[in-house]
Amino acid sequence: MTKSKDKREFKPLNEVVAIATRFAKSTNVERDRDNPSVLDGYVPTSRTEAVLSSVLQRATNGDAGGAWSITGPYGTGKSSLAIFLDALLGKDGPTRQRALDLLGKDLAKKVIEAHKKHDCIEEGFFLGIVTASKEPIGITVLTAIETAIIRRYGKIPTAKTLPAIKLFKNIKKIHEGKKNDPTYKGPSVPELIDLVMELSDVTPVLLLIDEFGKNLEEAAESALADPYILQELAEAGSGDGKPIFLITLQHLSFEDYFAATGENTRKEWEKIQGRFDDISFIESSSETRKLLKTIFTHQDKDFLNSRSSWVKAQLENVQKCGLGEDIDGDLLENCYPLDALSLAILPELCSRYGQNERTIFSFIKECVGTFLNESLWEATQELPHITLYDIFNYFVRDGVLS
């Protein structure tokens, strides 16, 4: 990074370059759902649109739902996907509208079509969006159902308002009485399925479990695990079934969590995952660069002129290094202070040796944030910028990749 020796001629760089605040913290589905501002700066990637398209295809064709397992490594934005789906399929209001505004015309139209088909344009789907704990799957599903009911009605409603509440209360009462029993493996599967099906008679039900690997880890370690609730839920929303949409988000495929168990167990879980549409949630380097374009904001006429000169110089390096297919002037302008070589290497580095987008955001917050706070610029001088030297210091010297 370059800095002036004569500070009297220079201005603070952080006065003209800022990092969007949404990249300062990771996503938590319970904390961030129903908050329109969480979607500020969100970029629906090609993988996000692939998941949404698959869900909407089921939601607009026929009466049944479906089951999806979204598999991707740490830091790829799976929790942000959950928040986005929650906003699109939820009740009418500013959160849904904010999410719709991020979509292209065709996909946005499909979302509205799905709500109209199921006569839930105002109320939206029942939304059971939760983060898993290391517990039996049935307990997490019960939590998701309770979440969906309370989010819809603001509290546990009366049986007059929601007839299915009688069954819910019965399941909940039994659960509370047995939850401290070490042999308890969760609520009755048939009763949970009946409850979800009764709810789906009101409006479609979306059960989305983030960090589902925690449930699978518990199942792999427990002889009491009952895997068939997943199979039953998937079947309840398939074929001629009900509008039940089940989505799990995890880092590995189901059977990979059972690598230390017997072959029969692994095959059983592989069979269960066969009931799901499995979608790999890993973005390409080009998609990650598109995301980087949304992180920084720039202002001040003199600075923007200096940035234009800086971009021209960087483009010469781009051509010399043969990076013309990946790096262009628009990317450089929007991603300043990252130079061309930094933009070329960061996505691949963080994918191979870090936690993908999570590692990139940490680098932006910690390394680039500090750089902006400590650097100065002057209109007649070359702009200071992040280089491979800074990336080496952050990832190797400071031990981020160790």
Side-chain angles (χ1 to χ4, degrees), residues 366-367 390-402:
E366 297 167 13
C367 180
D390 304 299
I391 291 177
F392 176 86
N393 283 342
Y394 181 79
F395 286 97
V396 180
R397 188 193 67 182
D398 295 343
V400 172
L401 297 183
S402 62

Side-chain angles (χ1 to χ4, degrees), residues 63 70 90 136 209 214 238 253 260 274 277 280 295 303-304 331 349 365 393 395:
D63 296 323
I70 312 301
I209 305 175
K214 294 178 181 178
S238 64
S253 62
D277 290 342
S280 176
I295 290 180
F303 168 78
L304 296 178
L331 181 68
L349 178 69
K365 179 184 177 183
N393 283 342
F395 286 97

Side-chain angles (χ1 to χ4, degrees), residues 8-28:
R8 292 173 300 174
E9 302 174 0
F10 284 67
K11 306 172 187 176
L13 191 58
N14 61 7
E15 292 183 357
V16 292
V17 183
I19 299 171
T21 55
R22 74 169 295 270
F23 298 101
K25 62 181 180 180
S26 59
T27 301
N28 177 281

Side-chain angles (χ1 to χ4, degrees), residues 15-77:
E15 292 183 357
V16 292
V17 183
I19 299 171
T21 55
R22 74 169 295 270
F23 298 101
K25 62 181 180 180
S26 59
T27 301
N28 177 281
V29 296
E30 285 89 356
R31 180 194 66 209
D32 296 331
R33 65 194 181 201
D34 297 322
N35 181 6
S37 66
V38 173
L39 297 173
D40 290 347
Y42 180 69
V43 180
T45 63
S46 59
R47 290 288 82 200
T48 298
E49 292 181 348
V51 174
L52 178 59
S53 295
S54 182
V55 172
L56 292 177
Q57 180 70 17
R58 301 283 182 85
T60 56
N61 291 277
D63 296 323
W68 295 262
S69 63
I70 312 301
T71 306
Y74 290 96
T76 50

Side-chain angles (χ1 to χ4, degrees), residues 123-355:
E123 291 295 335
F125 289 26
F126 276 109
L127 297 175
I129 316 294
V130 295
T131 301
S133 299
K134 198 170 182 182
E135 63 186 8
I137 296 169
I139 295 177
T140 301
V141 170
L142 179 60
T143 301
I145 293 170
E146 183 172 10
T147 297
I149 292 172
I150 292 176
R151 291 182 71 194
R152 167 64 62 87
Y153 299 102
K155 60 181 180 180
I156 299 298
T158 64
K160 182 178 180 180
T161 300
L162 181 67
I165 206 65
K166 293 180 179 179
L167 179 56
F168 168 77
K169 288 182 175 179
N170 182 59
I171 296 172
K172 184 75 173 178
K173 181 178 179 181
I174 295 173
H175 168 68
E176 291 297 327
K178 293 184 175 181
K179 65 181 182 181
N180 295 322
D181 182 345
T183 65
Y184 178 57
K185 60 181 181 180
S188 161
V189 172
E191 288 189 340
L192 280 177
I193 300 301
D194 286 344
L195 175 57
V196 176
M197 293 181 73
E198 285 189 36
L199 291 177
S200 71
D201 288 333
V202 181
T203 63
V205 177
L206 172 64
L207 299 177
L208 190 153
I209 305 175
D210 194 14
E211 298 289 349
F212 185 63
K214 294 178 181 178
N215 285 138
L216 296 176
E217 288 171 0
E218 169 67 19
E221 296 173 6
S222 173
L224 300 172
D226 185 355
Y228 295 105
I229 184 170
L230 285 181
Q231 182 172 318
E232 294 294 322
L233 278 172
E235 290 179 351
S238 64
D240 296 325
K242 300 280 190 175
I244 299 168
F245 298 79
L246 174 63
I247 301 176
T248 66
L249 309 176
Q250 61 281 324
H251 306 306
L252 305 170
S253 62
F254 288 4
E255 63 266 25
D256 286 342
Y257 287 93
F258 297 86
T261 64
E263 183 179 358
N264 289 337
T265 300
R266 291 197 303 273
K267 287 184 176 180
E268 196 63 46
W269 280 95
E270 184 178 355
K271 178 182 176 182
I272 290 172
Q273 185 157 29
R275 305 280 184 179
F276 289 68
D277 290 342
D278 187 36
I279 299 178
S280 176
F281 204 78
I282 303 175
E283 301 294 352
S284 66
S285 293
S286 61
E287 288 287 340
T288 302
R289 292 188 191 99
K290 289 180 183 178
L291 183 61
L292 284 169
K293 289 173 65 175
T294 70
I295 290 180
F296 302 101
T297 58
H298 308 113
Q299 59 183 352
D300 187 275
K301 183 178 179 180
D302 289 339
F303 168 78
L304 296 178
N305 289 334
S306 295
R307 186 187 65 176
S308 296
S309 299
W310 177 82
V311 167
K312 290 179 181 179
Q314 286 292 312
L315 286 174
E316 293 180 6
N317 293 333
V318 167
Q319 297 305 317
K320 291 177 182 177
C321 297
L323 298 173
E325 292 186 4
D326 298 321
I327 312 296
D328 60 20
D330 181 61
L331 181 68
L332 286 163
E333 280 192 354
N334 285 283
C335 292
Y336 175 84
L338 301 177
D339 73 358
L341 290 177
S342 299
L343 288 169
I345 198 173
L346 261 179
E348 191 72 19
L349 178 69
C350 295
S351 175
R352 289 192 182 192
Y353 305 109
Q355 294 184 8

